Amino acid sequence: MIDPFGRHISYLRVSVTDRCDFRCVYCMAEDMTFLPKSDVLSLEELDRLCSAFVRLGVKKLRLTGGEPLVRRNIMWLIERLGRHLKTGALDELTLTTNGSQLAKYADDLAKAGVKRINVSIDTLDPEKFTAITRWGKLDKVLAGLEAAKRAGLETKINAVALKGVNDGEIHDLVAWCGREGHDLTFIEVMPMGEIGDAARLDQYWPLSMVRAELAKRWTLVDSDYATGGPARYAEVQETGKRIGFITPMTHNFCESCNRVRLTCTGSLFMCLGQEDSADLRKPLRESEGDEALTAAIHEAISRKPKGHDFVIDRRRGARSNIRHMSVTGG
Ligand code: SAM
Ligand code: SF4
């Protein structure tokens, strides 16, 4: 699949559910209304859709959400998709998780062929962790990380940089990741969903400033390491681990974008920051063969835009993208 700007589309991110057992303040409202079950693709449908993408050249598949590990029978899907790793059609099957269910699933994930996972942890302070996630317990997530380590899974930590919230802790996070053997990626908070943009505007902390703060204590050496995702990496000389920076707000990484995103209702978003989407559920449900589905995927890729236009602008106030992160899966 090649888009109109010559970019090879080889990375599919799939939100397998919009539900979650946390209510992170920057991601969801506390009283979220979730999609009716009938709108959500079945696990069989998700398998069919993902497999169609693999056939069309997707080499990396990331399951996300909402929280992927709260979807009932999710291991069935992960094990099914694991068959594409065995044939070599797929290079990587991975997931982004809040870690709450990891203690339960780590062994099964490893057995299914998952090698690396991303776990989101913004703070190592248990009280702050519960304040940010509203419903989360840090010790449960840390137990999940231990289980992942025992199972041989490589874990990268994702932390949203939040001014006034975890800005005093970034050095501790780097040191902790160094000790535990995790790479760490900082993410800029993005204006997704209508959930109190005023607060998010105050919490917006450009990663250029995060990096400048980190450089006071750590020797950061730019690295050309790439995972096929949007992060730019630097190596921390003191720990030997990497720090990634995902900067959708300040940095335009669109020119090398190889990704598309599928929601749990079968909408394909060609760009995280744009509204245009293609409905793949209809062709999926309307015929048993994959011809119409394949045509719809090609048509969607031909509409992938050149780039996005997130803006957080203090003079005009925050512009909010109407989709929640839990819909398109971060
Ligand atoms: N529940 C899983 C988790 O938290 O890792 C997967 C889905 S979550 C939407 C994926 C990532 O998006 C997480 O690392 C989360 O911190 C991040 N995220 C959510 N809302 C965000 C926002 N408004 N700005 C930046 N990152 C956000
Ligand atoms: Fe759930 Fe992840 Fe959103 Fe937090 S960021 S509410 S864990 S989907």
Side-chain angles (χ1 to χ4, degrees):
M1 290 178 286
I2 301 180
D3 80 359
F5 304 96
R7 296 168 298 192
H8 280 264
I9 308 307
S10 57
Y11 182 1
L12 176 68
R13 302 175 63 112
V14 186
S15 176
V16 297
T17 176
D18 62 330
R19 289 161 199 255
C20 187
D21 53 346
F22 289 4
R23 290 289 180 280
C24 300
V25 289
Y26 46 69
C27 180
M28 290 192 186
E30 192 157 14
D31 58 346
M32 285 289 282
T33 313
F34 294 106
L35 293 162
K37 290 231 162 78
S38 55
D39 285 359
V40 175
L41 298 179
S42 68
L43 294 172
E44 290 79 3
E45 287 171 328
L46 281 167
D47 176 42
R48 215 180 120 200
L49 249 177
C50 291
S51 299
F53 274 97
V54 171
R55 235 180 357 261
L56 291 172
V58 158
K59 303 300 269 181
K60 176 168 174 172
L61 206 50
R62 176 178 299 278
L63 307 187
T64 174
E67 174 46 41
L69 296 180
V70 302
R71 172 106 197 221
R72 191 179 306 166
N73 279 335
I74 187 65
M75 278 316 305
W76 178 87
L77 177 66
I78 296 174
E79 281 159 11
R80 281 287 292 166
L81 294 173
R83 74 189 185 280
H84 299 304
L85 293 168
K86 289 195 187 113
T87 63
L90 192 63
D91 290 341
E92 186 171 17
L93 174 61
T94 183
L95 67 160
T96 300
T97 169
N98 65 24
S100 68
Q101 310 297 314
L102 207 45
K104 185 167 145 198
Y105 287 120
D107 282 336
D108 292 341
L109 290 170
K111 274 189 213 127
V114 174
K115 298 223 159 10
R116 304 187 308 162
I117 52 172
N118 289 0
V119 179
S120 305
I121 300 181
D122 304 330
T123 174
L124 293 168
D125 173 331
E127 280 173 24
K128 222 184 259 183
F129 186 84
T130 298
I132 294 173
T133 60
R134 291 200 187 99
W135 297 359
K137 297 271 180 288
L138 181 63
D139 55 357
K140 217 172 157 194
V141 174
L142 295 180
L145 288 181
E146 282 303 316
K149 196 180 274 181
R150 279 196 303 275
L153 295 173
E154 201 183 303
T155 303
K156 181 164 76 72
I157 303 297
N158 279 350
V160 177
L162 299 162
K163 196 161 67 187
V165 181
N166 62 2
D167 47 356
E169 265 192 83
I170 54 169
H171 297 296
D172 293 345
L173 274 169
V174 173
W176 176 76
C177 284
R179 283 196 305 277
E180 296 293 323
H182 305 310
D183 286 342
L184 168 65
T185 294
F186 288 106
I187 309 174
E188 265 171 10
V189 72
M190 287 183 271
M192 309 293 285
E194 301 293 338
I195 46 169
D197 276 313
R200 220 134 1 115
L201 192 56
D202 286 340
Q203 290 173 352
Y204 173 58
W205 190 19
L207 292 193
S208 52
M209 290 170 76
V210 175
R211 189 174 170 142
E213 176 58 33
L214 289 172
K216 290 181 188 163
R217 189 159 139 200
W218 309 94
T219 317
L220 303 179
V221 181
D222 278 331
S223 150
D224 50 18
Y225 174 77
T227 58
R232 306 255 160 102
Y233 286 90
E235 196 178 301
V236 186
Q237 271 194 339
E238 290 82 352
T239 67
K241 301 309 294 180
R242 280 178 284 255
I243 299 187
F245 299 91
I246 300 187
T247 55
M249 307 299 297
T250 50
H251 207 116
N252 203 335
F253 50 57
C254 305
E255 68 279 2
S256 60
C257 182
N258 59 352
R259 297 170 286 290
V260 287
R261 293 174 156 80
L262 186 68
T263 71
C264 59
T265 58
S267 292
L268 187 74
F269 282 89
M270 283 69 83
C271 173
L272 179 63
Q274 303 263 2
E275 291 309 312
D276 189 29
S277 68
D279 175 22
L280 301 182
R281 188 176 58 187
K282 197 161 176 277
L284 181 78
R285 288 190 172 166
E286 273 179 2
S287 64
E288 275 177 22
D290 284 346
E291 215 167 279
L293 177 63
T294 305
I297 293 173
H298 279 305
E299 193 279 326
I301 300 298
S302 77
R303 281 194 274 137
K304 185 169 163 67
K306 192 160 181 216
H308 66 58
D309 59 353
F310 282 122
V311 216
I312 278 196
D313 184 332
R314 282 191 171 274
R315 284 158 303 172
R316 286 186 293 140
R319 167 195 177 278
S320 177
N321 186 307
I322 55 162
R323 266 176 290 133
H324 285 269
M325 208 65 165
S326 52
V327 174
T328 13

